[in-house]
Amino acid sequence: MEVKDLKLLIKMITETDITEFEMDNSDEKIVIKRNQKMEYVQVAAPTVAYTTAPQMAVPAAAAPVAASAPAAVVETGETINSPIVGTFYRAPAPDAAPYVEVGQIVEKGQVLCIVEAMKLMNEIEAECRCKIVKICKENAQPVEFGDPLFVMEKL
Amino acid sequence: MLVLHTHNSMYPYSSLFFNPKPENNFSMGYQMHQKAGTILRLFREQDGFVSGEKISRSLNVTRTAVWKHISALRDAGYVIEATPSRGYRLVASPDILNIEELASQLHTSSIGRRLVCLSETVTTNADSFRLAEDGAVEGTVVIADAQSSGKGRLGRAWTSPPGVNLYCSVVLRPSIKPYEAPQLTFLSAVAVARAIELITNLKPEIKWPNDVLIQGKKVAGLLNEMSAETDAINFVILGVGVNLNMTFGQFPSDLRHPATSLLLETGQPVGRVRFTATLLNELDRLYTDFRSHGFALVREEWQQRCSANGRHVVVTDCGVEVVSGKYFGIDGDGALLVRRANDKIERILSGDVRVL
């Protein structure tokens, strides 16, 4: 399936109440799952689309790949990335409430988390009004420069 | 935020502390205070008596006005002797964080360009962060006599009673990348160590990344904050708390690490204005070099002052041991290098270091 068709398919599905969609044919398997407006698109397909392998053999080979292919998960939406190497903190103190939760709508300039590098605390702020779709790191986990910290949806 | 008023509220500079809120006309107040600062500077430049005539010429005011300024300084706690034939002599200065006196002792190019002194605030870091967001110039310094909620890393409390210590924050706007900003952590630690050494003759040591210790006891707490976009820094706040004249009874009983003050170590009280001026002067020197030559000088001096030189260290993070081995210096980013028994070098970016 071509990318534009896949986009169309996702668009069609998101306009309905369908939360899970699975399509399996001889040379590719597509799984679309929706959760809290989060869209995972899982595509498992032979890398060479025009494979000439016998038709019968392909589904057998594709099925186990699909089952164990989380690498094919695509996060839709924009990410907020870490500007420094450091440690990710979701709250200002261990016993304090997290700055944000999944699904929360945050205003421009609102603090989302802290990334600490050698006693330099870097408060990461929302650059626009947006909805937090996913928190990509665990509290107190190390992060690299440019690592996605949040997936967000601009509002 | 409270603004401290000294006994006489009739005189313009009896209010020695400023409120940084924009509705207060800061520049007006500062002009009036500059006169008092000039008088104090004259006293310092000339040991002994300064003639009323000299003061009136320097201030460009009448002799009567000089007398009024002297009275106001007395009201603020300065002991000034006046002799008709010889003039005025400063006998004693109160240990208050007086903005004009501090200004008169600064020899800086950027640090202290704007000074804000508060009697009490929540934290000076929060104040300077807010000022910086409103566009405060690089070198803006916020100092408080007391903090109601002084903080360390991860929301840990920093005890901040009035009248004894230094709590200050400095706004910097360095033109470096956000990932280079942790280097400033080392810069402020070196500045504090230098200031302690200059004022007391004690030999402070630094523990990675920026704990300043005397005989293994913590004397200063440094916490920096940054506001940055992905590839540019808006500003960095250097937060500095130094225990100057705190006594045993003022330390909380549930301290995580042993702590001390300069008074406890030397038996001598430290003048807060003098210490603050020394610290800001050293910060300015180091920062000026940092801006033109980068991290090299700070890194070298930090390493000389590091308590772990030639020692074995254990690094823990959230109570879990990360690595144990020989201290191997810091790299160009400030990361701690530890050499394991198998000669493998580990690079540490966060954690608590214990020197064995």
Side-chain angles (χ1 to χ4, degrees), chain A residues 90-152:
Chain A
R90 286 192 58 198
D95 55 353
Y99 287 110
V100 288
E101 297 287 358
V102 169
Q104 194 174 329
I105 290 167
V106 296
E107 300 300 324
K108 180 176 190 251
Q110 190 172 331
V111 176
L112 306 175
C113 68
I114 288 176
V115 177
E116 180 195 1
M118 294 177 267
K119 296 273 190 87
L120 178 87
M121 316 307 276
N122 187 12
E123 286 184 349
I124 310 293
E125 296 175 357
E127 284 179 23
C128 61
R129 186 167 190 269
C130 64
K131 183 173 181 175
I132 300 302
V133 176
K134 187 185 176 188
I135 299 170
C136 310
K137 299 281 176 184
E138 297 291 324
N139 189 52
Q141 198 183 340
V143 295
E144 295 296 325
F145 172 76
D147 269 4
L149 304 174
F150 300 93
V151 178
M152 58 105 160

Side-chain angles (χ1 to χ4, degrees), chain A residues 84-85 87 116 118-119 121, chain B residues 153 185 210 224 226 349:
Chain A
I84 53 172
V85 175
T87 308
E116 180 195 1
M118 294 177 267
K119 296 273 190 87
M121 316 307 276
Chain B
R153 199 175 156 258
T185 292
N210 66 353
N224 306 327
M226 170 164 74
L349 288 164

Side-chain angles (χ1 to χ4, degrees), chain B residues 238-260:
Chain B
L238 300 184
V240 180
V242 188
N243 296 337
L244 301 179
N245 301 318
M246 233 170 149
T247 50
F248 273 121
Q250 288 177 304
F251 285 97
S253 51
D254 58 345
L255 279 178
R256 287 164 40 83
H257 301 291
T260 190

Side-chain angles (χ1 to χ4, degrees), chain B residues 59-263:
Chain B
L59 297 185
N60 202 16
V61 296
T62 63
R63 297 285 288 271
T64 320
V66 169
W67 175 248
K68 281 186 184 171
H69 288 296
I70 294 287
S71 304
L73 279 170
R74 283 177 172 165
D75 287 335
Y78 291 87
V79 181
I80 298 166
E81 188 187 335
T83 310
S85 57
R86 304 167 77 188
Y88 302 98
R89 186 172 72 96
L90 181 64
V91 179
S93 302
D95 189 30
I96 51 172
L97 289 168
N98 177 323
I99 216 167
E100 54 268 26
E101 182 152 24
L102 177 59
S104 76
Q105 294 182 40
L106 290 183
H107 317 285
T108 59
S109 60
S110 62
I111 310 291
R113 199 178 286 167
R114 180 178 172 191
L115 295 171
V116 178
C117 277
L118 306 165
S119 63
E120 188 187 326
T121 188
V122 179
T123 75
T124 57
N125 265 25
D127 290 331
S128 40
F129 203 95
R130 206 190 57 232
L131 287 172
E133 282 182 321
D134 291 344
V137 290
E138 169 159 91
T140 297
V141 178
V142 177
I143 303 170
D145 188 50
Q147 295 184 119
S148 60
S149 187
K151 278 192 181 54
R153 199 175 156 258
L154 303 179
R156 290 166 189 158
W158 183 259
T159 309
S160 312
V164 285
N165 293 338
L166 168 65
Y167 321 109
C168 78
S169 299
V170 181
V171 178
L172 298 180
R173 298 185 182 275
S175 50
I176 53 174
K177 294 288 180 193
Y179 62 81
E180 295 171 304
Q183 296 171 355
L184 294 165
T185 292
F186 300 85
L187 188 146
S188 64
V190 170
V192 170
R194 279 189 184 182
I196 292 173
E197 207 166 275
L198 287 165
I199 297 282
T200 65
N201 293 323
L202 291 167
K203 288 274 169 218
E205 287 185 318
I206 308 175
K207 187 166 75 97
W208 187 88
N210 66 353
D211 279 340
V212 181
L213 311 171
I214 293 167
Q215 311 281 349
K217 286 177 279 187
K218 188 161 166 159
V219 73
L222 312 177
L223 186 75
N224 306 327
E225 293 179 52
M226 170 164 74
S227 163
E229 311 289 329
T230 311
D231 59 355
I233 293 175
N234 299 323
F235 57 84
V236 173
I237 306 294
L238 300 184
V240 180
V242 188
N243 296 337
L244 301 179
N245 301 318
M246 233 170 149
T247 50
F248 273 121
Q250 288 177 304
F251 285 97
S253 51
D254 58 345
L255 279 178
R256 287 164 40 83
H257 301 291
T260 190
S261 71
L262 299 185
L263 173 67

